[in-house]
Structure formats: structure tokens, C-alpha cells
Amino acid sequence: MDKQKLKPISGFPEWLPEFRLIEQRWIDTIRQVFESYGYASIETRAVEPVDVLLKQGDTDKEIYAIGRLFEDRPDAKPEYALHYDMTVPLARFVAAHLNDLVFPVKRYQIQKAWRGERPQEGRFREFYQCDIDVIDRREIPLHFDAEMPAIMTEVLDRLQVGAVVTKVNNRKILEGFYRGLGIEQANEVIRIVDKLDKIGASGVARLLTDELAVPADRIAKILALAEIKGRDDSVIGRAKALGVSSPLLDQGLDELAFVLRELGTQVGRGYVADLSVARGLAYYTGTVYEAKFVDWPDYPTICGGGRYDNLVGSLINQRLPGIGISIGLTRIFAKLVKEGRLKPGRKAPTDVLVALVPGNDYATAKATARTLRERGIRTEQYHEERKLDQQLRYAAAKGIRYVWFPPATAGAPHEVKDLDSGKQGPADPRDWRPSL
RNA sequence: GCGGGAGUAGCUCAGGUGGUUAGAGCGCCAGAUUGUGGAUCUGGAUGUCGUGGGUUCGAGUCCCAUCUCUCGCCCCA
């Protein structure tokens, strides 16, 4: 046998039952929170036309094209590819169903996404993303800019993922500031400033010089802006004090001030305005978010999102603004598993194992199991007449708490053993309940 | 896609300068006076030493290629 085939494929995580159980609980919780705010679920197909996926970003090398759908035409270019996020499919979905959707569209999507990047810690090629977005035909009220991180924070709290800090910024501040400095390549500057965490101020300065030939005095201003962090209006004051101005900058600062005030009352903790946050994605145009583990600042972003003015414009002749946020479920989950912060769940959902007792017939065991199951108790049968030693060991290994012994002789009582306490006693399958 | 590191039993790894039937721990299986687990003890199975080629009387150990994993870059949840 080729053992290579048994090895994991890098970037495509798989969990044992005891962790998958927890992942499913997480998904349940996320759904509940999303729905508690009135967001509706959709699921979009795994595949999108390549040109739809590539419209918004130039990430052509990151998508997985589908071979099957174009292989019959030699030297044809791939037509379809797996989606690499949920935002672009959402835009396509909304554009395709304009007449059937009620605006503002508020939807969530918990699905896998695929990216062809090189795996690293926290970076996968197949992963769950939990997206929540609002799309409207008119301007979206700024209140949503605060609701997004509020929902996200509530989710992370309920999942007990540990301390997380959500950094908030506004792209209008960055673009307006750079424009005020007379810099036209705002997106390029943003891309480089986004690396501040990673390569430091000197690294950013070097790239701005080498790649974009930004003059030193402006680099100083850019870095000064990026260093501003805080949770109250002083952030706005410090930005203004840098002496740069443009209408866009002022608008961005006003928006950020509003969002900060709202967050103060809605969330109250775990967030900070950080004017260095940019988000790589080019389509963001206003508020942007980025959440990180407090304990592992070098671990990649675990949630991200923001406001975009026009995501469907390339698909239809309308401008539909939106705002959304994405929770990197796999990224968060994998880290907590790796760090041992997540205790594995049970290896089986079973509440009761009905043993096959020598001397007892299979039919009785089967009837007992059915009775328990009909009463909502998750029950499995041991289908092989092996030594009780084996059967008990099986239950213990799978984390099944109760082992049920049907009567060995007619008229004798049923017995159930609690493996946690080791105690065993008579019980009636018609009214026995597992204790919680 | 580019650069660095690694690849020996299911898992974690040991195997000075090439030399007879390749090891440990954990796990697994079976027992410990005839039907009750998690402890302990005893015994047992398991590897074409990632793959292909080369050097050599002889290679897990040297050389080349290749694949995979891993770290960094790009990019991002």
C-alpha cells in the first residue's frame, strides 16, 4: 500500500470525531447568533465563473479551477473555479436575484472556501468561513458598521475562544490622508502599510521608498498616521493634528468617530481604532475590521471585513453598497486545538450502549435499545457477543457513559452501569433517564 | 510561483566517520484460576528506513533526481 496516500494533504484539515463534534457545536452557535440578529441563511454553489471571481481582485493564482468542466476542449481556459470567499459569490447571487430579494438583504453564509496559497500555520487551502453581510440598493446606515463587530464579538464570546482584539479603521481616512499628501497610488500604499505589524515601520518605509518612490517627509506622515491607536475621540484629534486634510479624510474621521461611539455603547471592550489597519482587499471603501488573538499577535487575522460601495457593479449596471464581516472558523478552531485550549468532545454521541450479555438473546437487547431510542436517548447496541470486558472497554474508549445490561434470565431486572461512578443498579428502559 | 528545513513501525523519535536478522517509548492485540472498563504486570504483531536511479564487495547511513510535509515570501479568514 502506498503510505503516501494516507498522509494528510497540506492545507486540507480533517478532524477526528471528538473535535468535529465541537466544530459542529460552533457552527450551531454561530447560526444562532446570526439568526438572533435577523440574518437569513443562503448557501451558494461551490463553483463560480472564473471571470466573476477575478473581477474584484487580481488573485488569479489563488483559485482552484475545475478541470472536469473544460477538459474536453483542448487548450481551453478554465471557465469555473472554486470560490475563495463568500463575498464575491454573494454579490453574484444578489445580482442574479435582484427581483426576488427584499432589501436590505441581510444574509449569513457558513461554507467552505478554497484558496491555492501555500499553507502555513493558520493558513489553509480548504476552510470554513462564516460570513454575515448586508447589501442594499441605497446607502447603508452607519449603524451597521457597529453592528457587524458587535455580532462578531458576541459569537466569539459564546465560543469562548479567549481574548480577541478587533481593530477598526476606515479606508476613507487612509485614502483621504494619502490624497491630501498628494499621493495617487493609495491602494499601493495601503497594501504596504498593511504590513506594518509584520515588517515594522522601517520595513514599511523601505518599501514605500523602493517600490513607490514616496518622498521621506510623506513617509513620515504616513507612519505617524499609522501609529495612531485608541478607543475614543482622541484618535480623531491626533489624526487631524498631523495637518493633512481632504474632504474624504474628514468624512472618514467622522465615520470612525461615529462607529467608535456606537461600539462604546454596544460592545464596550475588545476593540480598538487602529489607523494602520488597511485590509488587503481592494474592494473595501469605508470601515474595515480585523480581529486577532490577543495571546498570539503573530497569528494571522481570525476575522476580517468591512464596507464596500460597489461589489456588484461589474456584474450589473447598478451600484449596491454592502458591509460584512467574516469569521475564520477553521483558523480559530485549528489554533485552539493546536494550543490545547479546546478539550476534545466525545468520540461518539451515544448515551447508552446496550451490551450483548451471554445468556441473553439479541432480540431483547434490540427491543431495549429501541425503547430507549424512542424516548430520545441516543442508544447503540453491541452487536457481537464478546466478553463483557471487551464491551465495557469499548464503551469507555468511546466515552459512552452508560452500559445497559438486559436481563440474563427471564423476569430478572434490567441493570445499567454508570461508567463515571462505576455504580450499577436495576433500571427500567421505559422510564430511566441519563443524568446530566 | 520563489527561497530555507525535513521524510526511519499507527504516533513521537534514536540509529558517531557506510558492514551481518533496523531499535525505544506511546499506542495496538492477547493473557494474568471460567460474565464487568479505566491501574499494574507478562507476552505478541508491525517497517520494501518517502520514491526512482547512481557510487560501492556492501547504503537507513554517500551522490543525483523526484514527490510529500514544514517554515518564510506573495496573498489572505
Side-chain angles (χ1 to χ4, degrees):
Chain A
M1 176 161 28
D2 187 352
K3 275 186 295 184
Q4 206 69 21
K5 288 180 181 161
L6 297 181
K7 294 203 162 163
I9 300 178
S10 179
F12 292 82
E14 292 183 315
W15 307 111
L16 289 167
E18 54 268 42
F19 284 110
R20 170 60 181 165
L21 179 81
I22 299 179
E23 189 180 49
Q24 281 181 305
R25 294 278 173 282
W26 279 32
I27 290 170
D28 292 344
T29 300
I30 294 167
R31 274 187 53 189
Q32 280 171 23
V33 175
F34 284 174
E35 289 182 359
S36 78
Y37 281 82
Y39 291 76
S41 173
I42 66 166
E43 178 166 286
T44 59
R45 62 204 186 198
V47 162
E48 296 290 342
V50 167
D51 56 330
V52 169
L53 293 175
L54 297 185
K55 273 273 162 31
Q56 300 300 335
D58 46 351
T59 54
D60 50 338
K61 58 179 181 278
E62 290 191 354
I63 62 173
Y64 286 111
I66 299 297
R68 174 73 180 170
L69 299 179
F70 67 96
E71 65 188 356
D72 51 331
R73 286 169 293 126
D75 74 279
K77 285 189 175 171
E79 232 181 303
Y80 302 107
L82 295 170
H83 60 233
Y84 60 84
D85 72 1
M86 249 102 267
T87 311
V88 172
L90 169 66
R92 191 269 310 158
F93 186 90
V94 170
H97 300 287
L98 273 184
N99 292 330
D100 301 312
L101 292 165
V102 177
F103 287 85
V105 173
K106 298 167 71 176
R107 83 84 179 81
Y108 73 90
Q109 240 171 303
I110 300 173
Q111 278 180 248
K112 282 185 169 173
W114 295 268
R115 284 184 200 172
E117 12 183 24
R118 273 270 184 285
Q120 271 171 47
E121 192 191 9
R123 181 203 286 169
F124 300 91
R125 298 205 269 211
E126 177 181 61
F127 55 95
Y128 274 112
Q129 231 173 300
C130 310
D131 278 36
I132 186 163
D133 285 82
V134 181
I135 291 194
D136 206 348
R137 321 181 82 133
R138 309 180 301 134
E139 280 314 309
I140 291 175
L142 270 177
H143 292 278
F144 278 110
D145 296 55
E147 181 166 292
M148 289 296 146
I151 295 172
M152 189 201 80
T153 301
E154 187 173 333
V155 166
L156 297 180
D157 276 355
R158 301 242 327 239
L159 298 179
Q160 299 185 286
V161 302
V164 169
V165 60
T166 303
K167 300 174 186 174
V168 184
N169 194 5
N170 192 305
R171 283 279 270 255
K172 288 175 185 166
I173 296 175
L174 300 179
E175 283 183 41
F177 189 87
Y178 302 155
R179 205 171 292 173
L181 284 174
I183 297 173
E184 290 308 318
Q185 320 123 293
N187 272 335
E188 292 302 298
V189 175
I190 283 170
R191 208 194 75 239
I192 291 172
V193 170
D194 204 31
K195 300 179 193 302
L196 187 65
D197 265 0
K198 215 174 218 176
I199 61 179
S202 60
V204 169
R206 196 172 335 111
L207 286 181
L208 289 174
T209 307
D210 295 351
E211 290 188 17
L212 303 179
V214 178
D217 59 323
R218 289 174 200 174
I219 290 178
K221 291 275 191 189
I222 289 170
L223 288 172
L225 183 77
E227 277 162 14
I228 295 173
K229 296 173 189 15
R231 296 179 45 167
D232 52 37
D233 284 352
S234 70
V235 169
I236 283 68
R238 277 183 282 159
K240 286 185 171 162
L242 293 176
V244 178
S245 74
S246 75
L248 191 62
L249 172 62
D250 290 341
Q251 191 188 347
L253 288 169
D254 286 347
E255 290 182 12
L256 181 62
F258 178 87
V259 171
L260 284 179
R261 278 196 300 275
E262 277 298 308
L263 283 175
T265 57
Q266 282 190 51
V267 180
R269 72 203 146 72
Y271 68 91
V272 63
D274 182 332
L275 301 198
S276 72
V277 167
R279 304 267 71 218
L281 285 175
Y283 54 67
Y284 291 123
T285 50
T287 305
V288 287
Y289 319 100
E290 181 171 296
K292 302 238 259 194
F293 282 122
V294 171
D295 289 350
W296 305 290
D298 292 335
Y299 195 70
T301 304
I302 55 176
C303 304
R307 181 182 267 262
Y308 39 92
D309 272 349
N310 185 12
L311 208 51
V312 297
S314 59
L315 300 170
I316 53 169
N317 191 24
Q318 286 194 37
R319 195 184 71 87
L320 303 184
I323 181 167
I325 206 160
S326 177
I327 299 175
L329 170 59
T330 302
R331 192 170 262 182
I332 297 169
F333 190 78
K335 183 60 173 172
L336 295 186
V337 169
K338 186 186 177 203
E339 296 294 331
R341 296 247 185 127
L342 267 187
K343 289 202 184 92
R346 305 203 299 162
K347 292 184 163 87
T350 317
D351 297 314
V352 178
L353 173 72
V354 178
L356 190 54
V357 182
N360 180 275
D361 62 312
Y362 185 77
T364 309
K366 195 165 64 177
T368 303
R370 190 186 303 124
T371 302
L372 291 167
R373 215 173 278 129
E374 280 168 354
R375 297 180 48 235
I377 296 165
R378 292 165 295 192
T379 307
E380 67 175 287
Q381 272 187 269
Y382 204 90
H383 289 298
E384 199 182 354
E385 187 170 322
R386 297 182 76 192
K387 296 198 299 186
L388 288 181
D389 184 70
Q390 291 294 336
Q391 302 192 34
L392 282 159
R393 219 187 297 193
Y394 166 78
K398 273 219 175 151
I400 300 169
R401 182 169 169 187
Y402 297 99
V403 177
W404 195 282
F405 300 98
T409 57
H414 290 259
E415 291 196 11
V416 65
K417 180 180 177 113
D418 178 347
L419 297 202
D420 282 2
S421 66
K423 285 181 184 158
Q424 184 172 334
D428 187 329
R430 287 167 302 183
D431 60 20
W432 175 87
R433 298 218 146 273
S435 62
L436 304 173

